[in-house]
Amino acid sequence: MAIELLGALVPWRTLVLTAGAFPRGMDDIDVQPTRTAVRHDWRLHHLVRTVRPELARRLVSGDYFVEHACSANTAPVRQPGPGWSLLRYTTPDGFLIARAPTRGLDHVSRVRAQARWIVEHNGFRELGDPGHAEGERWLRDCAYGDGSKGSGNAETWLRAGHTQHMDFVGRLVTGAL
């Protein structure tokens, strides 16, 4: 209905359907350190394009990366910050989210185990497959690396998640996947 109302006001050339789908809170991340969260934004975009095929050329998807839309309003955490952060990966239907420790004696091996959970998931795009990006390469290197080099930190994990997500979404929206 909203598209009908907006479309009647002005002859729009393009309509951008924007929705933030990445979960805002992870209250139970201690209990459930890995999960798949539904990408409601992409499901809504797909549903509108399916129901209204005449809008397919004009309707594009907006995106908030692999963070909740309100994250931009969050003050930076003072050191030392939480003892964990998130590894993130975007699939067509969901976000793979894994809690990774930022410190501790065995944090490197635990980070690698979380990265392995992602790269061994059936939604992970192998290197060489259409749609793989630098984010996939970094996750695979982290998952199967050796020693402390390459396990990253919270900033590295967020950068890898954003890189992979934006490359994937760009390919998906343009029909390259």
Side-chain angles (χ1 to χ4, degrees):
M1 254 177 35
I3 292 174
E4 293 295 331
L5 291 172
L6 286 172
L9 294 175
V10 177
W12 300 93
R13 290 185 358 206
T14 304
L15 298 170
V16 179
L17 181 60
T18 305
F22 196 83
R24 182 173 189 164
M26 301 280 178
D27 295 335
D28 63 344
I29 197 78
D30 291 335
V31 178
Q32 185 184 359
T34 59
R35 72 186 67 205
T36 302
V38 175
R39 288 194 57 210
H40 297 290
D41 60 335
W42 189 247
R43 284 190 176 180
L44 180 61
H45 180 260
H46 182 72
L47 177 66
V48 171
R49 287 179 67 125
T50 300
V51 171
R52 298 292 309 275
E54 71 276 11
L55 295 175
R57 290 175 30 101
R58 293 179 26 209
L59 185 67
V60 296
S61 176
D63 199 278
Y64 282 110
F65 298 105
V66 289
E67 284 197 87
H68 190 274
C70 291
S71 294
N73 297 329
T74 305
V77 176
R78 295 186 185 260
Q79 293 298 331
W84 57 272
S85 189
L86 301 174
L87 293 173
R88 308 146 197 251
Y89 187 79
T90 306
T91 69
D93 299 320
F95 297 106
L96 302 180
I97 305 165
R99 177 187 162 170
T102 57
R103 55 183 171 261
L105 293 177
D106 64 343
H107 83 279
V108 170
S109 62
R110 292 170 49 210
V111 168
R112 292 192 188 288
Q114 296 299 57
R116 276 192 303 279
W117 175 78
I118 291 173
V119 301
E120 291 173 359
H121 190 277
N122 62 1
F124 185 78
R125 286 167 300 284
E126 294 294 328
L127 302 182
D129 287 352
H132 86 276
E134 188 58 35
E136 278 92 0
R137 187 178 331 283
W138 184 88
L139 278 164
R140 176 156 304 282
D141 290 348
C142 176
Y144 300 113
D146 188 29
S148 63
K149 186 176 181 189
S151 62
N153 57 30
E155 181 180 343
T156 304
W157 305 335
L158 187 58
R159 184 174 42 244
H162 281 307
T163 301
Q164 179 273 323
H165 176 80
M166 290 311 297
D167 185 71
F168 175 70
V169 169
R171 290 170 185 258
L172 199 60
V173 170
T174 61
L177 286 178

